[in-house]
Amino acid sequence: MSTLTAPTIPLLNGSIAPGGSLADFIWFRTGGPAEWLVRPKDVADLSAFLSALDPAVPVLPVGVGSNLIVRDGGVPGVVIRLPKSFARIAIEPGERVRAGGGAMGITVASAARDAGIAGLEFLRGIPGTAGGAVRMNAGAYGRETADILVEATLVLRDGRVETWPAARLGYSYRHSAVPEGAIVVEALFAGVPGDTAAIGAEMDRIAAEREASQPLRSRTGGSTFKNPPGEKAWRLIDAAGCRGLRHGGAQVSEKHCNFLLNLGDATAADIEALGEMVRERVRAHSGVMLEWEIQRIGQYDGASSG
């Protein structure tokens, strides 16, 4: 990993940890450290930090790491993790919910339920933050972030703070036009009037379905591959004989084939290599080359980033 000299890193009112561990909180619980792990105090702190940071230093926002492989060589540059001060949620007129970028999907859905706002129930099934959902157009149970987002506030790589309407984000399946190095610090979602009990029942249904079908109590990274048009990735993986397939300390989940597991001692390289084995077997069996949905970041151990 390249080395940044201390003067390159501006002062911050929050915290800066050189060599900060990412494996402590990302869901796979493995992988290398961040060169600098930065937790800003508030939006103004983040804006000032980025505006003073050398433009050559890469910046990567990370939420709770529920959809992330951090390679064993670690992540060069600055990793931004939003603390609890970015997790506030407020209900606004017109069945709208304003959420900080660090707010968890389940918390946003619960706040909407308590306010009698329907349409956000699917966020109960997304195990990441509001900022991450905005960035990747996260979706589940027939809905996606693009369906409910009104606008998002970003802190751009140069420190500018801008609020973008949803249309500017150029949403497509699991993709947005959030610029590289930008951090989503707030999102405004819109729902419709609903009955609190009915909303709660739908959230309970989603929770029960996830528990029954997904390996939620394992070290995993969520859905590994995007669903190809008209297909389900898990079906293709299962048909190619990959259910339970292992490589090193990593395994394809037997409960849900589109989930990879760290059995306890897997390296990030084990997990990524297993994913590539799955992709190749699916291609050989069905002719479909699956696309990664999990984001893979950082450097291979002893190699350049990719």
Side-chain angles (χ1 to χ4, degrees):
M1 192 185 303
S2 63
T3 301
L4 301 178
T5 59
T8 305
I9 301 300
L11 295 175
L12 187 80
N13 291 324
S15 68
I16 302 176
S21 173
L22 302 178
D24 283 348
F25 65 86
I26 71 162
W27 278 32
F28 273 123
R29 292 294 193 270
T30 191
E35 190 164 5
W36 300 93
L37 181 58
V38 171
R39 294 179 173 89
K41 180 181 178 182
D42 51 30
V43 173
D45 193 30
L46 176 58
S47 174
F49 175 82
L50 290 177
S51 65
L53 183 66
D54 184 338
V57 177
V59 171
L60 181 78
V62 171
V64 292
S66 58
N67 194 39
L68 204 62
I69 293 173
V70 177
R71 291 177 174 136
D72 300 303
V75 182
V78 168
V79 171
I80 303 285
R81 189 173 192 220
L82 301 181
K84 290 183 179 179
S85 57
F86 285 83
R88 299 186 182 95
I89 298 171
I91 304 300
E92 298 187 357
E95 285 70 49
R96 294 187 170 192
V97 181
R98 189 174 296 276
M104 294 295 294
I106 183 175
T107 311
V108 178
S110 298
R113 175 201 61 206
D114 295 346
I117 299 173
L120 279 67
E121 296 91 339
F122 76 97
L123 291 176
R124 171 65 180 84
I126 295 174
T129 62
V134 168
R135 173 175 287 275
M136 71 169 289
N137 192 20
Y141 303 96
R143 303 209 77 197
E144 58 187 12
T145 305
D147 296 330
I148 59 170
L149 185 70
V150 177
E151 62 185 28
T153 300
L154 316 178
V155 179
L156 302 180
R157 173 61 185 82
D158 61 6
R160 286 178 294 148
V161 181
E162 294 185 352
T163 299
W164 288 19
R168 187 176 174 186
L169 289 167
Y171 275 134
S172 59
Y173 177 62
R174 302 295 180 265
H175 176 77
S176 79
V178 172
E180 186 175 350
I183 294 92
V184 179
V185 293
E186 191 175 83
L188 180 62
F189 301 115
V192 296
D195 175 73
T196 298
I199 296 167
E202 173 63 6
M203 288 174 58
D204 290 345
R205 183 193 71 80
I206 288 171
E209 188 172 323
R210 288 187 71 231
E211 180 70 34
S213 64
Q214 299 176 12
L216 302 181
R217 303 182 191 284
S218 303
R219 296 180 179 185
T220 184
S223 294
T224 306
F225 302 108
K226 298 178 181 179
N227 289 324
E231 263 292 1
K232 293 290 187 182
W234 76 265
R235 289 198 186 106
L236 295 172
I237 295 166
D238 200 16
C242 296
R243 185 182 293 268
L245 182 67
R246 291 182 61 167
H247 177 77
Q251 181 182 33
V252 176
S253 170
E254 296 190 12
K255 191 172 188 180
H256 191 311
C257 293
N258 200 22
F259 284 65
L260 303 182
L261 309 179
N262 174 1
L263 297 178
D265 60 351
T267 62
D270 288 341
I271 297 167
E272 188 169 4
L274 178 60
E276 291 297 340
M277 288 169 60
V278 169
R279 294 179 77 218
E280 183 53 37
R281 291 194 183 194
V282 169
R283 186 201 63 75
H285 181 266
S286 66
V288 175
M289 181 58 83
L290 294 174
E291 292 183 36
W292 284 92
E293 180 172 324
I294 286 181
Q295 187 180 8
R296 295 154 297 145
I297 63 172
Q299 297 178 325
Y300 296 106
D301 205 6
S304 59
S305 62

